[in-house]
Every structure is written in C-alpha cells, then in structure tokens.
Amino acid sequence: MKFETTYKDNNYPIILKQNALAELKHYLKENEQNIVLIDQDVYRYHKDYIKEHLGQLDIKYLTIMSGEACKQLSYFESISEKLLSLNITRQSQLIAIGGGATGDFVGFLASTLLRGLDFIQIPTTLLAHDSAIGGKVGINASVGKNLIGAFHRPQAVIYDLKFLDTLPHVEVRSGYGEIYKHAILNGEAEQHKLMDVYPSIKELVQLEDIASFLKMGIETKLKIVVEDEFEGGVRKHLNLGHTFGHGLEYLTKIAHGEAVMIGILFQKVINKNKSLYDNCDSIFIFINYLKELGYPLNIINQADIELIFDYMKKDKKNIGQTIQMVLQTGESSFTIESVSKDEVIKAFSELKALIND
Ligand code: NAD
Ligand code: ZN
C-alpha cells in the first residue's frame, strides 16, 4: 500500500509492502550522489536481497554500527567527516536502511550536513513505524537519550516488510509495544483486534496482517503529529508508557518497546489508583496478555524504584520537580497529570505483587 502524510505542506509518501525496496529507484536523485547508510547487521542478513533490488543502481554504500551504538556524538563526527570527504553537495541524498536508531542517526546527519540534505527512511524493524514518522531525528548525549537532535522530515518512507523476516523475538515484542500504544490511543476496538490476531507470542512472531497494524500505528501517530508537530500539546500523548518505561529501559537495558509496554502497565496501576479509567480487572487481563507475549515482567523484581524515580525526574517533559505522566481518562481520552513520589512508590509495590501473583 502507498499513502501520504497529511501535513499542510511538504508531504511525503509512505510505501508499505513486501518488496517495497524496488520502489527506491523512483526516489533517487539523478546525476547526484545517493548514499545508503545501512545498519551493518541488517546488511549482513539482507545483502543478497539488497543486491537483487538495488544492484543495478548508482548508489554508494556505507555500513554503520548496528543499533543504538551509532547514536553517539563521536560516531556522528566520524561519519560526518567520511561523508564530507566524498564531496557531497546540497543536492546529495542520504538513505537510511535499518531500525529506529539508524533512522534517527542518518536523519540527524541529513539535518545538519551542509545545513540540510534530503533523506529517505527504509525502516527494517517494527518499532521504526514509530520513529520513521514525525520528523524527529537525533543522537544521544552521555546524560540522556535523544538530547541532541532536530526536526527533519524525510522525502519518503519505504517500508519493506521483507526485512522483518529476520527480526529477533525481542525486537518483535519491542516494536509491538509501540504498535499497542498506538492502538490504545485509538480506542478499545483496535486493542481487541490486536489481541485477537496475536493472542500469544507464537502468533505474534508470524506477523500475519502486520501491514494493516503498522498502517494503523503510522496513521495514529501522523494524526497527532500533524496536529502538534513541535510538541506543545497533544503530541505529549505519544509519551504514554514512556515516563516509567524510559527509567526502566535506562536502568535494566531491556529493549525500548518492551520497557514501554511495562510502562503502559505501570500507567494503568496509577490510573486505577487515581480512579481515572482502569480497574483491577482490566489490569489483570493486561498482565496476562503481556505474559502470553513473553514480556520480561520479572525485571520489575530486580528494579530499584528509587533509581527509576530519579530517572523519571530528569525527563525533559517534566515541569519543576513533579513528574508528568500521560494517564488515560476515557476510552480514547488522555490527560497529563502530576504524579507524586508516594504515588509512584505505592503503584510500584502494587505492580510487584500483581505480577508475582
Ligand atoms: P534499532 O535500530 O536499535 O534496532 C534494534 C536492533 O535490531 C538492532 O540491534 C538492529 O541491528 C537490529 N535490526 C534492525 N533491523 C533488523 C532486521 N530486519 N533483522 C534483524 N535485526 C535487525 O532500534 P529500534 O528498536 O528499531 O528503534 C529504537 C530507536 O528508535 C531508539 O534509538 C529510539 O530512541 C528511536 N526512536 C525514535 C523516535 C523518533 O520519533 N525519532 C521514536 C521512537 C523511537
Ligand atoms: Zn517509544
């Protein structure tokens, strides 16, 4: 399928299908340099497939460090120098092939080199349905993730489902966390659909019908981002599950979307305690579902809530000393509320008891 973003202007196409890679040729710049920067692991897995589709085209290739490792300032410097030594011009184009980390890194290179180059995103993970949309690009600083960045929209997103064949289970679960988050932002019906199609990890890793759910996730994110590109209001709802999730991810090093899914669970407990939306039954059903999918809930037993809380306090979306969390108030209504340390600690010990039940 092919659809377009829905910004007021400067829209770009999103192509989402098997063998979408073959479409890249229509987006290359003629008589200019087109440079692919590809996650080295993705290259290793898919070298033959890439050659088959892109072998005839005039493209340069640069393999880059896989995953999050590329999002470092020192690496940004070395790849910037390398690209500049290729005599790129303002008309050159970068093409990112990889997961969200690759897209963030290459997008940031594109936003800064020569004050801005065009770039194309070719996502290879489920999670990247989230990161490839919305125009945020960036790298990490030693004090926190994504603190050095820019807003820079791609020229096109070419989402080839073929790449997903080699995704490890942990990355499937991680991406599914963000898909599920988008379903929550959409309302109950989407969540039920997901639970019906993927009742356990066995069905999830088959990824049947995944294109329609990726489209749902992309459209949900787009709708919010178009309304609030620079995060003044409703875009904050995309942070659902992320306040606690980021703390847990940082301290335990579990995958981003797995931490987000556990963050959504934590949000549900806070929600119940504030009598906003969830109740014991809905939490119980959700915990069982996460167990069916194999989310690492046991990590909660090893996590130190004091350290998680300290990390939550550092979130760049906080105001003053209070923690701001996205909480659900109705089937598809959300609010941002201050949550106190006492409330966080109480919810955490409750969560521990619930998952060990
Ligand atoms: P990732 O790029 O780190 O990929 C995860 C792992 O999967 C890596 O080890 C990678 O080498 C491997 N991989 C990628 N594609 C593969 C494939 N097809 N087969 C086998 N292995 C493959 O991360 P991600 O989970 O895709 O995304 C997380 C990143 O996205 C984080 O850096 C996060 O900050 C960022 N992000 C950005 C935004 C945004 O709006 N810009 C939104 C959400 C997340
Ligand atoms: Zn996220």
Side-chain angles (χ1 to χ4, degrees):
M1 60 183 101
K2 180 175 176 184
F3 50 109
E4 282 260 319
T5 56
T6 47
Y7 293 105
K8 276 201 203 82
D9 48 24
N10 294 327
N11 282 297
Y12 57 86
I14 299 166
I15 300 165
L16 173 66
K17 58 180 185 181
Q18 289 283 349
N19 297 315
L21 195 58
E23 305 289 322
L24 178 65
K25 58 177 177 290
H26 303 301
Y27 297 92
L28 294 179
K29 297 229 185 162
E30 271 178 45
N31 306 317
E32 305 290 346
Q33 292 201 62
N34 294 281
I35 305 172
V36 166
L37 292 101
I38 179 167
D39 177 312
Q40 63 191 16
D41 286 354
V42 175
Y43 186 68
R44 199 158 36 83
Y45 287 127
H46 297 280
K47 196 166 25 180
D48 293 341
Y49 181 68
I50 290 169
K51 264 197 203 135
E52 182 193 324
H53 282 298
L54 308 182
Q56 310 298 320
L57 306 172
D58 182 19
I59 300 176
K60 288 201 174 77
Y61 289 87
L62 219 56
T63 50
I64 58 171
M65 286 168 98
S66 76
E68 201 68 20
C70 70
K71 287 175 65 174
Q72 301 172 52
L73 206 45
S74 57
Y75 196 59
F76 173 78
E77 182 183 0
S78 88
I79 298 294
S80 295
E81 296 284 1
K82 202 174 242 173
L83 287 170
L84 292 168
S85 73
L86 296 174
N87 296 323
I88 52 169
T89 71
R90 263 280 190 42
Q91 310 314 318
S92 304
Q93 176 164 256
L94 305 184
I95 299 154
I97 306 184
T102 307
D104 277 8
F105 174 68
V106 176
F108 187 57
L109 283 163
S111 76
T112 50
L113 290 181
L114 308 178
R115 297 205 177 81
L117 304 176
D118 286 348
F119 88 115
I120 291 176
Q121 293 251 35
I122 303 188
T124 63
T125 61
L126 281 186
L127 193 135
H129 87 276
D130 180 355
S131 56
I133 303 300
K136 281 189 187 175
V137 295
I139 57 174
N140 302 327
S142 57
V143 290
K145 262 174 68 93
N146 301 328
L147 296 179
I148 305 164
F151 284 94
H152 194 63
R153 292 184 201 164
Q155 297 303 301
V157 174
I158 299 176
Y159 212 143
D160 188 339
L161 302 172
K162 171 86 176 117
F163 285 115
L164 302 177
D165 291 351
T166 52
L167 213 52
H169 288 193
V170 55
E171 299 303 338
V172 171
R173 262 196 301 270
S174 179
Y176 188 67
E178 299 284 8
I179 294 176
Y180 200 88
K181 178 197 78 179
H182 288 131
I184 294 178
L185 295 173
N186 244 307
E188 297 274 334
E190 282 299 338
Q191 291 169 69
H192 289 311
K193 260 196 239 165
L194 282 174
M195 289 169 119
D196 284 349
V197 180
Y198 310 119
S200 76
I201 187 69
K202 188 169 136 259
E203 294 80 15
L204 181 60
V205 296
Q206 312 278 319
L207 295 179
E208 205 175 303
D209 283 343
I210 200 66
S212 65
F213 292 118
L214 287 172
K215 183 164 189 264
M216 175 279 297
I218 289 171
E219 287 180 339
T220 306
K221 179 158 186 187
L222 255 180
K223 190 162 159 273
I224 292 174
V225 166
V226 165
E227 208 177 317
D228 177 20
E229 184 164 17
F230 300 110
E231 209 161 31
V234 65
R235 188 164 183 165
K236 291 186 180 140
H237 293 175
L238 293 171
N239 217 31
L240 181 71
H242 281 66
T243 321
F244 182 83
H246 271 149
L248 190 66
E249 176 186 3
Y250 180 77
L251 291 165
T252 65
K253 308 292 171 222
I254 61 171
H256 176 74
E258 288 196 325
V260 168
M261 201 64 140
I262 298 174
I264 290 173
L265 171 60
F266 184 76
Q267 177 265 159
K268 283 176 177 286
V269 178
I270 297 266
N271 226 331
K272 169 184 76 64
N273 292 348
K274 284 183 174 284
S275 307
L276 287 174
Y277 185 65
D278 281 283
N279 54 41
C280 289
D281 285 349
S282 67
I283 293 174
F284 181 72
I285 292 168
F286 192 61
I287 289 181
N288 279 339
Y289 187 46
L290 297 194
K291 284 183 177 168
E292 286 296 337
L293 295 175
Y295 281 89
L297 296 180
N298 284 335
I299 203 85
I300 288 291
N301 291 318
Q302 299 152 31
D304 180 340
I305 188 58
E306 291 285 339
L307 295 178
I308 294 181
F309 186 80
D310 285 347
Y311 191 89
M312 286 163 88
K313 266 200 321 207
K314 280 198 275 188
D315 191 315
K316 56 183 180 280
K317 294 177 185 79
N318 282 338
I319 305 165
Q321 284 304 300
T322 66
I323 285 181
Q324 301 289 303
M325 268 183 77
V326 185
L327 299 173
Q328 191 165 5
T329 51
E331 195 195 310
S332 44
S333 53
F334 300 85
T335 180
I336 318 275
E337 282 209 12
S338 299
V339 180
S340 70
K341 184 171 181 181
D342 285 352
E343 285 173 304
V344 166
I345 289 177
K346 178 169 180 282
F348 186 76
S349 49
E350 215 176 324
L351 181 58
K352 242 182 183 171
L354 283 167
I355 59 165
N356 293 321
D357 204 13

